[in-house]
């Protein structure tokens, strides 16, 4: 079998991309035209010989298969192997002979093989059409997958599907939505003691005449089954580089800061809606896209590294806050590729708030939050807070986060009114749950000779409340030290094991001041010794976030909250039916039913620590969706 010459193919393939980058009609020198025509004729003849040889070989192999000399599959394998080997050998031969063949085929007076300017003309080698087509197909095959991936990425990033006619602000709006339907049941021990409902007692300025239906007492003995729903819709706006704004509305009973729940069973009345978030945020971002500090103003999400021992997941903060970060090791592969979990209950880890999500950094957060505006007074109620912390990937994607915080509440404790005075009525809290030590602001001092009450705030002289008090407030100041640690182990990816430790101590409790200021108004049978410590141990196992079908996680926690360790108004509202003076354990699970749809199951068992007997078991089932 004669070997097919490769001289012509060698020449044209080596100059192919250069020729395709320039015009095929570029003028050539007059004395080279004859040589090019001869070369073209020779290439056509060689192409015909190549095709004839290929067809002859293939036909011969087919005849051998038909005669049974060769197996069809084996023949196909042989042909494929021969083609692959021939392609490799041809490339090697082309590489070795390129320089020699170019010199042999170029006319003596021709310009160099590479394009060079000569008297305004450019020498261009001729490329046959069949070679150009072969090169086109090869390039197309090599680039197809890469180009398709790049086009898809560009289309997604640049939003090709959005008409250019839409205003710019449309692309800077981000809609959020979540809804939860809850089935909850509180199971009370039959030996539980009665507990005063101080919030009801304080309503209408302490008017006791309304207590004909036992409204002065909490339910502590009758099992309570309730259905409720939460609905929230938000809009986040990218105003300009570094500036954001947001607003969120949701179901709310308006008067309860730790719950967006709307209890079903209101005789068909419509749900209440309220503005749950409304804020402006500024992020200082450097040239590398790193945010070094963030400022928040308005009503916004919890900015602290914390757990629900201090702050319920539904609690929003009103006022001003700022978080400052010092980043390190930001070019690490682990840091750049790290994906933080969602916060609060939207990711399935209800009760753990991660605060600033910036691995490998130290941070400081400061906040000033008005709690209650007091009319005609400079004694407004405030929360001032500060936190220092560190957040780093200690090994691979294993994350350790620690924080120490101090929260100072101003003007929140009660002050005793003098006889028939209303001066300190404002010290009665607008909202409480239960657990904190309460003291009387006003008391019933009997009637005058005309039968009128000496203290007009107490309108029912027959009340049986301790000390005949009719307006109550918090006995303690609250200056809380809080330390939180989270360790997230990712060695079983995608399953994570997360340990959370939380400790709180109220440094503001002063028994001697309480006894001095309220004296004989205090219940002599009640202890007023300081009970000011709280802690929680929690273990989470499972997926970081429950976002699709079959995602899951479990958690177990033990918590111990003495009566004045934290402000009972802001702590978690489901465990022990809300409030402090509680110890017990949590057990819960989340499971993904579909994309952005999951069920949450929780069970808690709790008892009072120091107060009258109160044992509560609570079961809850939540069906959640988000968008």
């Amino acid at each position: 079998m004669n070997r097919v010459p490769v001289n012509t193919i060698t020449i044209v393939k080596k100059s192919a991309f250069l020729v395709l980058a320039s015009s095929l009609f570029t003028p050539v020198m007059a004395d080279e035209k004859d040589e090019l025509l001869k070369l073209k004729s020779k290439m056509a003849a060689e192409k015909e010989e190549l095709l004839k040889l290929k067809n002859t070989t293939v036909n011969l192999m087919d005849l051998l298969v038909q005669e049974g000399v060769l197996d069809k599959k084996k023949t196909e394998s042989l042909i494929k192997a021969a083609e692959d080997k021939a392609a490799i050998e041809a490339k090697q031969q082309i590489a070795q002979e390129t320089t020699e063949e170019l010199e042999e085929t170029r006319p003596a007076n021709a310009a160099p093989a590479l394009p060079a300017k000569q008297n305004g003309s450019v020498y261009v080698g001729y490329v046959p059409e069949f070679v150009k087509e072969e090169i086109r197909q090869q390039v197309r095959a090599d680039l197809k997958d890469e180009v398709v991936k790049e086009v898809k990425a560009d289309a997604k990033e640049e939003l090709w599907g959005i008409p250019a006619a839409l205003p710019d602000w449309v692309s800077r709006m981000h809609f959020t939505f979540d809804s939860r339907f809850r089935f909850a049941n509180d199971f009370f021990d039959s030996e539980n003691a009665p507990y005063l409902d101080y919030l009801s007692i304080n309503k209408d300025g302490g008017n006791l005449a309304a207590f004909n239906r036992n409204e002065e007492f909490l339910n502590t003995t009758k099992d309570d089954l309730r259905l409720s729903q939460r609905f929230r819709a938000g809009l986040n706006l990218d105003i300009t580089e570094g500036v954001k704004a947001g607003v969120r509305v949701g179901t709310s009973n308006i008067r309860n800061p730790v719950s967006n729940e709307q209890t079903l069973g209101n005789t068909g009345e419509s749900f209440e809606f309220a503005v749950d978030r409304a804020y402006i945020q500024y992020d200082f971002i450097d040239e590398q896209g790193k945010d070094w500090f963030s400022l928040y103003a308005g009503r916004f999400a919890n900015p602290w590294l914390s757990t629900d021992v201090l702050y319920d997941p539904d609690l929003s903060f009103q006022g001003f806050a700022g978080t400052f970060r010092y980043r390190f090791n930001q070019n690490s592969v682990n840091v750049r590729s790290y994906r933080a979990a969602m916060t609060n209950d939207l990711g399935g880890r209800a009760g753990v708030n991660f605060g600033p999500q910036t691995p490998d950094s130290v941070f400081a957060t400061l906040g000033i939050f008005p709690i209650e505006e007091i009319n005609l007074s400079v004694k407004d109620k405030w929360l001032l807070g500060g936190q220092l912390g560190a957040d780093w990937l200690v090994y691979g994607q294993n994350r350790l986060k620690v924080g120490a915080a101090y929260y100072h509440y101003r003007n929140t404790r009660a002050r005793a009114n003098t006889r028939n005075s209303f001066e300190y009525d404002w010290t009665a809290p607008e909202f409480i749950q239960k657990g904190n030590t309460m003291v009387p602001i006003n008391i019933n001092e009997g009637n005058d000779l005309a039968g009128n009450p000496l203290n007009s705030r107490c309108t029912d002289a027959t009340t049986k409340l301790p000390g005949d008090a009719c307006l109550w407030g918090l006995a303690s100041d609250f200056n809380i030290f809080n330390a939180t640690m989270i360790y997230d182990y990712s060695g079983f990816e995608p399953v994570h094991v997360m340990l959370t430790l939380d400790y709180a101590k109220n440094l503001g409790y002063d028994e001697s001041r309480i006894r001095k200021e309220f004296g004989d108004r205090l219940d002599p049978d009640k202890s007023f010794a300081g009970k000011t410590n709280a802690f929680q141990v929690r273990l989470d196992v499972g997926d970081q976030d429950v976002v699709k079908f079959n995602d899951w996680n479990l958690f177990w926690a033990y918590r111990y909250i003495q009566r004045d360790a934290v402000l009972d108004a802001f702590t978690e509202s489901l465990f022990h039916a809300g409030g402090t003076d509680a110890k017990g354990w949590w057990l819960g699970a989340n499971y993904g039913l579909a994309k952005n749809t999951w069920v949450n199951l929780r069970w808690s068992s709790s008892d009072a620590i120091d107060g009258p007997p109160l044992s509560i078991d609570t079961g809850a089932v939540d069906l959640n969706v988000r968008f």
Side-chain angles (χ1 to χ4, degrees), residues 191-216:
E191 301 299 321
N192 287 345
Y195 272 65
L196 290 173
D197 186 348
Y198 294 107
L199 194 60
S200 292
I201 294 171
N202 285 352
K203 71 179 182 181
D204 297 326
N207 182 359
L208 302 183
F211 295 143
N212 297 325
R213 299 185 300 276
N214 293 323
E215 290 183 353
E216 71 270 30

Side-chain angles (χ1 to χ4, degrees), residues 32 66 124 137 150 155 241 281-282 310 333 347 361 394 486 533 554 596:
E32 297 173 350
Q66 293 175 12
V124 179
Q137 295 297 334
E150 291 182 358
E241 183 176 358
Q281 176 179 337
Y282 172 74
L310 264 75
V333 174
S361 69
V394 293
I486 300 174
N533 293 294
L554 309 171
N596 292 326

Side-chain angles (χ1 to χ4, degrees), residues 173-238:
M173 300 173 61
H174 311 282
F175 178 73
T176 64
F177 167 83
D178 68 269
S179 183
R180 178 178 71 196
F181 183 83
R182 169 172 288 175
F183 170 99
N185 201 347
D186 291 328
F187 301 92
F188 298 98
D189 192 288
S190 59
E191 301 299 321
N192 287 345
Y195 272 65
L196 290 173
D197 186 348
Y198 294 107
L199 194 60
S200 292
I201 294 171
N202 285 352
K203 71 179 182 181
D204 297 326
N207 182 359
L208 302 183
F211 295 143
N212 297 325
R213 299 185 300 276
N214 293 323
E215 290 183 353
E216 71 270 30
F217 292 101
L218 296 169
N219 174 28
T220 58
T221 57
K222 304 296 183 181
D223 293 351
D224 182 21
L225 171 64
R226 61 191 181 279
L227 303 179
S228 60
Q229 187 173 7
R230 183 185 72 183
F231 172 98
R232 300 183 299 194
L235 185 64
N236 298 321
L237 307 172
D238 295 329

Side-chain angles (χ1 to χ4, degrees), residues 334-400:
N334 287 326
V335 174
R336 295 171 65 91
S337 62
Y338 184 79
R339 184 185 67 82
M342 296 181 182
T343 59
N344 288 332
D345 54 349
L346 290 183
R349 286 177 170 179
V352 179
N353 190 74
F354 286 85
Q357 292 278 38
T358 316
D360 282 16
S361 69
V362 292
F363 62 89
T365 300
L366 301 173
I368 302 174
F369 311 101
I371 296 176
E372 183 181 349
E373 177 77 14
I374 306 301
N375 189 32
L376 301 177
S377 172
V378 295
K379 299 294 186 179
D380 295 340
K381 300 179 182 181
W382 294 84
L383 165 59
L384 311 177
Q387 184 176 61
L388 295 175
D391 183 357
W392 67 91
L393 302 179
V394 293
Y395 178 76
Q397 298 279 300
N398 300 325
R399 184 182 184 188
L400 175 65

Side-chain angles (χ1 to χ4, degrees), residues 524-544:
D525 297 327
K526 184 175 181 179
S527 172
F528 285 88
K531 300 294 182 178
T532 58
N533 293 294
F535 70 87
Q536 176 174 263
V537 179
R538 172 170 171 153
L539 183 67
D540 289 76
V541 179
D543 293 301
Q544 276 199 114

Side-chain angles (χ1 to χ4, degrees), residues 301-313 315 317 343-344 349-356 363 387 401-405 407 482-486 498 500-503 536 538 570:
N302 182 356
W304 313 105
L305 168 64
S306 61
T307 74
D308 51 7
V309 170
L310 264 75
Y311 303 121
D312 187 277
L315 181 66
F317 284 73
T343 59
N344 288 332
R349 286 177 170 179
V352 179
N353 190 74
F354 286 85
F363 62 89
Q387 184 176 61
K401 189 161 190 175
V402 295
Y407 304 107
N482 177 229
T484 306
M485 186 208 79
I486 300 174
M498 189 176 77
T500 304
L501 304 176
D502 200 22
Y503 172 76
Q536 176 174 263
R538 172 170 171 153
F570 292 157

Side-chain angles (χ1 to χ4, degrees), residues 265-309:
N266 51 9
T267 319
E269 293 180 3
S270 299
F271 287 177
E272 292 181 334
F273 277 82
V275 176
D276 180 50
R277 300 269 174 84
Y279 67 92
I280 298 174
Q281 176 179 337
Y282 172 74
D283 298 303
F284 177 79
I285 302 174
D286 64 14
E287 296 179 352
Q288 298 180 345
K290 307 297 184 182
D291 54 336
W292 290 87
F293 66 85
S294 301
L295 304 176
Y296 314 89
R299 183 178 172 93
F300 44 85
N302 182 356
W304 313 105
L305 168 64
S306 61
T307 74
D308 51 7
V309 170

